[in-house]
Amino acid sequence: MKEVILIRFGEIFLKGRNYSYFENTLFKNVERRLKKFNLKLERISGRFLVSDFEAEDKDDIIEAIQTVFGLVSLSVAYEVETSVDTIKSACEKIKLQDKTFKVEVKRADKTFPIKSFEFAGELGGVILKNNPDSKVDVHSPQEIVYVDIRQNGKTYIFYDKVICLGGMPVGTAGRAMLLLSGGIDSPVAGFLMAKRGLCINAIHFESYPYTSEQAKQKVIDLANIIKKYTGNIRLFIVPFTRIQEEIHKNCDDEYMVTLVRRFMMEIAEQVAKKSGCQAIITGENLGQVASQTVEGVTMTSMMAKDLPIFRPLISFDKIEISKISEKIGTYDISVLPYEDCCSVFLPKNPVTHPKLNKIIENEELLNREFLIQDAISKMEIIDIKN
Amino acid sequence: MFYLDNGATTKPRKEVVEEYVKNCEEGFFNPSAVYSSAFNLSKKIDGVRSLILDALSGDEYKDRVVFTSGATEANNLAIFGSATNRTKKYLFSVGEHPSVYNCAQELLTRGYNVQFIPLSNTGEVDYDAFEKLCDKDTCFVSTMFVNNETGAINDLCRIRNIIDSKNPNCIFHVDGVQGFCKLPLSVKKCKINLLSMSAHKIAGLKGVGALFISNKVNLKNISFGGGQEKGLRSGTVNAGGILAMGKAVELASRDMAKNLEKIGKLKTLLLENLYKNFKDKFICASTEKGSPYVVSLMFKGIKGEVLVRKLDSNGVIVGTGSACSANKVGNRILENMGYSKDQVVGAVRVSFGFDSTEEDVIEFCNKLKECY
């Protein structure tokens, strides 16, 4: 009797004729995520099966599987050669800690001599014998023991389902550019859009010496965490100091933030298009800060002329965002006290309802095209790889 | 590169590195072992103890020196090794380095009666306030010798006299890191019971420090192990680092007066230049009386850390007032001296080492013109 891990996937079943494309991508994603382990990964109808791993790797493998989008749940199962006796002796090992339970037998192998319902009853008896404080409850059991008798001569017995992330396999929805600041929100935004199947590129605006080298390292560290879920990330670091200095020198103080964000969006779209992205992702959140009003978002949005902007956090509360951030492991880094470029030259009273004519007046004072091309030409590219 | 952040650490002297390498190659033994090579090495280490006691005017026969991994460990040992009675009073200057200040905070959370002595506007301990705080129940006082951010020198003998007038049995601990081997210091004269030192601030190596323990103190060990250093600091003795520290102490003590004069001139040159070129644009938090090795400056209209990075990009290295991001946590020391949050944000620390030169100062001033 050996332990294996059964992996189930859900939503991609809906995809009809594209099914095999989605399943293949998902299989490759799981394979890539598990490549550092010594194990066997195979497909059995409608599921993936992990076997032949070292016992001490089991927990790490389960943790890794739980970072792959598109998977619904997993179970650690006993794999036995199909026969009445081996299945019964495997069931003797089950420990239910006085929970109520029922046994569900599934007989894909119709040559198995005992009918499913009857066999479930027999196995229930075996389990009760070793768990005298447990009770059978066929209507609402606390635990279901599944016995899956398959056509390959193997039977899988399992009872504990571990929930996985769900979503769509990364890569099946294309590629998008994430504006990554170093705060709490943007890594979460990237995580959530990767959940819908997007590959991620990221862009960060750096304001050295107004921001520190640690602030840049923080963004690299964040990318290194979300890559667990998103796969490899190409990170673009754009030097932004000169643009901020020019705005600070020439433009209305209260428009600083709006102007800065419009520059960022324009640069992000240009870099996104050049690097094969079909969309832009931001961690913006309506009403969170002065620049994130409807008018503020409108003034920024219009700078992305060809690509859609996805804002998965637009309706989230900070608490909800922080919770996800903690769950995915970015929170502790996000809250490190290094300033990002947004807090440089921050005016005391940023405008909350910016007017387009005022913005244009201000922008005409700058050599926008030159500043943008200058920044892009000095951009640094870092590949964050799994 | 022009390096003026010697308060953070200094470049080890060539002789120090040579001493260390020599030990690695020839004297790598565990000094606690029984064979003769190990015993000879332990004699050499004892030689460094004598050298340190000599530098501090300690008593070679009665007082002790325990080697540690640095001043942070020495401060921890001094404080937690002395703190045995929760009913007595423990006084700490509010201007202490985090390696003392945070020990005091820890004592507070453990239920000790800890109180803080405020600073005067010169950065020294407020002696009048101290006199009021200190009483017959005070069993432990900790004040630093030279402040690491401002260079302010505490009058240790005056502090000891105040202590003696209240409770002569009170233990007096001094964090001596920024003054040891730079300014004259006598544990005998000021009746200091415990004094922490670090090698890497005097052109020695990182990872070595020491605690001076006078014969009056019965210190309790705070870590457990093989019982090295008379049970006060278990762990294989860092022989190479200690011998290298010996070299650093020997050279720094020998040249102390000469160095002090040279660094004094550098401080004067720096301030003259700054007052000439940046008058009204900065405040100097260091006084004339303070140690010339540390000069605290607060520039107006720019964050200290931004100025530090700009200078760094131009080949000049100085420090910020504190290692943490100044805008978030403020600056405990400068704010306690009475400076406002807005002033403190612009804090930059220029700190000299034995190898600092006029050229360093001039280059700093020149680059400052470009960056500020």
Side-chain angles (χ1 to χ4, degrees), chain A residues 312-328:
Chain A
L313 303 181
I314 198 75
S315 71
F316 280 46
D317 289 345
K318 198 74 188 180
I319 286 182
E320 296 172 292
I321 303 171
S322 299
K323 259 189 200 150
I324 302 176
S325 171
E326 276 171 23
K327 197 179 88 186
I328 66 177

Side-chain angles (χ1 to χ4, degrees), chain B residues 208-280:
Chain B
V208 203
L211 180 66
F212 160 84
I213 306 169
S214 79
N215 63 330
K216 297 234 162 54
V217 179
N218 188 13
L219 211 59
K220 211 175 57 163
N221 58 315
I222 58 168
S223 61
F224 301 84
Q228 290 90 341
E229 297 292 284
K230 303 239 162 28
L232 283 172
R233 203 281 184 178
S234 286
T236 302
V237 175
N238 177 6
I242 292 166
L243 297 188
M245 180 176 182
K247 187 51 92 178
V249 171
E250 180 194 321
L251 297 173
S253 314
R254 186 193 70 192
D255 300 338
M256 189 192 299
K258 204 171 75 188
N259 284 333
L260 195 55
E261 192 192 340
K262 179 181 95 169
I263 304 300
K265 282 182 185 155
L266 294 184
K267 179 179 172 184
T268 310
L269 176 70
L270 170 70
L271 290 176
E272 276 174 4
N273 201 313
L274 290 176
Y275 283 118
K276 199 169 113 200
N277 293 304
F278 303 96
K279 201 171 185 293
D280 302 331

